[in-house]
Amino acid sequence: MALQPWEATLIAASVTSVVSTAAVVATHLLTRSRDRTHRVWDRRMDAYAEVIARQRLIEASWSRVMATKKPVDALLDNFDESRYWLNVAQLEMFGSPAIQLINNMVAQSSLEWFGLYQEWKLLVETAETDPSAAEEADARWPKLKSAHETAELAGKRLVEAMVAEADFQSAVRMPRRSERALKRHLSRR
């Protein structure tokens, strides 16, 4: 039995419509995935920009104290704590594991410096009435300076890693085993 021309036309049109529909669906799925990747990348870069700005603000205020060797009333004038915690949440959602790890190290070193600064500031403020407090403040200055150098180095490393990642380079090269261990550690929090 021979195929009639109208039957061949219907078969060809059906096959063409099925292939065309499959191509549209595949294109849509690939485009949606690409768009999601771009949205995540944009959010990551926005979070990184916030962290870099925050780090610059913190370093500027610390530098005032370290340069003058005098405590200041308001260490972080423009520091908004709610914005800080929002930025931490953004880093947890969109930041790479390496950046999250470095940011945690920056937070630890910053808290250590701030704790030492508070102790030193209290000693300096009581030095007018207690001469031994002045001696103790002078004795603690090298430790404060060391903590400042550590925190400043960690902050610079964080900014460098973020800039490297923004340039599509690996922020930190880690062996696969270390990367898995880091992911497990971050998922436990």
Side-chain angles (χ1 to χ4, degrees), residues 10-71:
L10 283 176
I11 292 171
S14 298
V15 169
T16 301
S17 71
V18 168
V19 168
S20 176
T21 302
V24 167
V25 168
T27 301
H28 173 71
L29 291 176
L30 292 173
T31 302
R32 188 175 65 181
S33 173
R34 186 192 69 215
D35 286 346
R36 183 184 185 291
T37 302
H38 284 284
R39 280 195 310 270
V40 169
W41 180 258
D42 288 342
R43 289 178 182 157
R44 178 181 288 181
M45 290 302 111
D46 290 344
Y48 288 3
E50 285 280 330
V51 170
I52 290 172
R54 179 189 75 214
Q55 196 61 34
R56 300 272 190 249
L57 173 72
I58 290 171
E59 288 173 4
S61 64
W62 288 357
S63 295
R64 276 185 289 156
V65 171
M66 300 310 289
T68 61
K69 207 172 176 179
K70 294 179 183 174

Side-chain angles (χ1 to χ4, degrees), residues 165-176:
E165 203 170 288
D167 287 338
F168 301 103
Q169 300 169 4
S170 176
V172 176
R173 300 221 183 266
M174 292 188 289
R176 281 283 180 209

Side-chain angles (χ1 to χ4, degrees), residues 58-157:
I58 290 171
E59 288 173 4
S61 64
W62 288 357
S63 295
R64 276 185 289 156
V65 171
M66 300 310 289
T68 61
K69 207 172 176 179
K70 294 179 183 174
V72 293
D73 292 332
L75 187 61
L76 297 172
D77 297 333
N78 300 327
F79 188 76
D80 183 3
E81 191 173 354
S82 63
R83 191 170 175 169
Y84 168 79
W85 289 112
L86 175 65
N87 190 237
V88 168
Q90 289 171 336
L91 272 181
E92 287 178 0
M93 289 189 307
F94 303 115
S96 69
I99 296 295
Q100 290 177 17
L101 180 66
I102 297 170
N103 188 58
N104 289 341
M105 292 183 335
V106 168
Q108 282 181 323
S109 61
S110 297
L111 284 174
E112 180 183 341
W113 182 88
F114 191 70
L116 290 170
Y117 169 76
Q118 290 295 87
E119 292 172 5
W120 175 80
K121 180 181 174 185
L122 184 64
L123 288 170
V124 169
E125 289 171 350
T126 59
E128 293 176 5
T129 58
D130 183 10
S132 64
E135 292 173 12
E136 182 67 24
D138 288 341
R140 289 192 186 195
W141 180 257
K143 196 172 185 180
L144 181 66
K145 189 173 182 178
S146 174
H148 172 258
E149 290 169 357
T150 302
E152 190 175 44
L153 182 64
K156 285 181 182 177
R157 180 63 186 110

